[in-house]
Amino acid sequence: MNDIELFHTGLESPKGVWWKPAHKAEKVWFGIAFAWCMILFAMMPLWHLKGQQNPSGIRGRVDPGRFMARTQEFIAAYQVGEENGYPVVEPPAGADVYMIAMMWRWMPVLRLREGVSYTLHLSALDVNHGFSLIQVNGNAQNVNFQIVPGYDYGLRIVPTKTGEYRVICNEFCGINHHAMVGKIVVLDATAPAMPFLKDSTATAAAAPAADSAKGGAR
Ligand code: CUA
């Protein structure tokens, strides 16, 4: 027999048993796999309604330039300081809080209060980024979001643990992706506010609070 005869030509029936009736064990395995598919399929809507991991956020389209403008308005309204050239912002309770992702930074630095609710708006200026939270000297938090330019992700959040957190980009976004680290500080509700380092009178009037009732679709 020469080597060429070892190849299947399609003109002859291949050796095998696949055309014979399925063995009982094969039927059982197929049944298990099918049932599991159905369970996972049902989990999608169930998890959305009952699961603990899904954000009860609001989403809307937004022009990246406009989101940047809102972020700057937000910074101007509530800035309390500066850190390494980044504005530090402490919004009031219930405020719409803006954080923008861009190559390769997160803006601004946020100071939030434990037990206070906020709507955290996340979006990107340029490309896809990923938002994940790691507590400094602590564990990674179970927070993970795609930050997509053109979409405003409004997350209703209540910080439950004081401390300093790093915002890590977990979506590869270019040469400095690894250096894209932001910062959120969660303070005790009674901790004193940071004194204003800037002249607050110049920008305080530009508070974007007026449009907070309309949600994220702006
Ligand atoms: Cu932004 Cu990686």
Side-chain angles (χ1 to χ4, degrees), residues 54-98:
N54 294 71
S56 56
I58 39 179
R59 266 154 287 181
R61 283 179 172 275
V62 66
D63 175 73
R66 285 204 59 201
F67 190 87
M68 182 56 153
R70 275 175 215 159
T71 306
Q72 277 162 346
E73 239 179 89
F74 164 74
I75 292 168
Y78 304 123
Q79 181 168 4
V80 292
E82 209 173 282
E83 199 177 303
N84 300 325
Y86 288 78
V88 178
V89 180
E90 184 168 342
D96 280 87
V97 176
Y98 291 84

Side-chain angles (χ1 to χ4, degrees), residues 129 169 171-173 177 180:
H129 298 277
C169 182
E171 189 68 46
F172 183 75
C173 56
H177 157 71
M180 187 169 162

Side-chain angles (χ1 to χ4, degrees), residues 3-212:
D3 282 356
I4 201 80
E5 286 172 326
L6 294 174
F7 291 96
H8 172 55
T9 66
L11 296 174
E12 293 171 31
S13 296
K15 292 189 175 72
V17 294
W18 54 265
W19 62 86
K20 292 181 179 163
H23 188 264
K24 193 179 162 220
E26 197 177 344
K27 285 178 184 167
V28 169
W29 278 113
F30 182 83
I32 291 170
F34 184 76
W36 186 240
C37 283
M38 289 297 108
I39 290 167
L40 291 180
F41 184 69
M43 284 300 281
M44 286 192 284
L46 285 178
W47 210 247
H48 178 76
L49 298 170
K50 289 279 173 201
Q52 295 292 309
Q53 298 182 29
N54 294 71
S56 56
I58 39 179
R59 266 154 287 181
R61 283 179 172 275
V62 66
D63 175 73
R66 285 204 59 201
F67 190 87
M68 182 56 153
R70 275 175 215 159
T71 306
Q72 277 162 346
E73 239 179 89
F74 164 74
I75 292 168
Y78 304 123
Q79 181 168 4
V80 292
E82 209 173 282
E83 199 177 303
N84 300 325
Y86 288 78
V88 178
V89 180
E90 184 168 342
D96 280 87
V97 176
Y98 291 84
M99 187 177 244
I100 191 165
M102 67 193 93
M103 292 189 272
W104 290 277
R105 56 210 169 101
W106 298 92
M107 257 226 322
V109 174
L110 296 175
R111 282 164 62 93
L112 305 177
R113 298 286 171 158
E114 185 185 20
V116 170
S117 76
Y118 305 92
T119 304
L120 175 60
H121 293 268
L122 298 169
S123 192
L125 182 66
D126 36 40
V127 297
N128 252 41
H129 298 277
F131 177 98
S132 59
L133 266 188
I134 291 174
Q135 187 172 19
V136 176
N137 301 322
N139 296 323
Q141 307 298 301
N142 191 11
V143 175
N144 207 334
F145 293 106
Q146 285 281 323
I147 309 302
V148 184
Y151 289 88
D152 178 345
Y153 213 150
L155 302 164
R156 296 197 184 92
I157 59 160
V158 179
T160 52
K161 214 164 136 191
T162 58
E164 199 177 307
Y165 297 83
R166 295 276 179 268
V167 180
I168 310 290
C169 182
N170 59 12
E171 189 68 46
F172 183 75
C173 56
I175 195 79
N176 261 335
H177 157 71
H178 63 282
M180 187 169 162
V181 181
K183 186 174 168 182
I184 295 177
V185 179
V186 176
L187 300 164
D188 187 69
T190 57
M194 204 178 193
F196 269 75
L197 299 185
K198 287 179 32 158
D199 178 20
S200 60
T201 55
T203 50
D211 60 1
S212 60

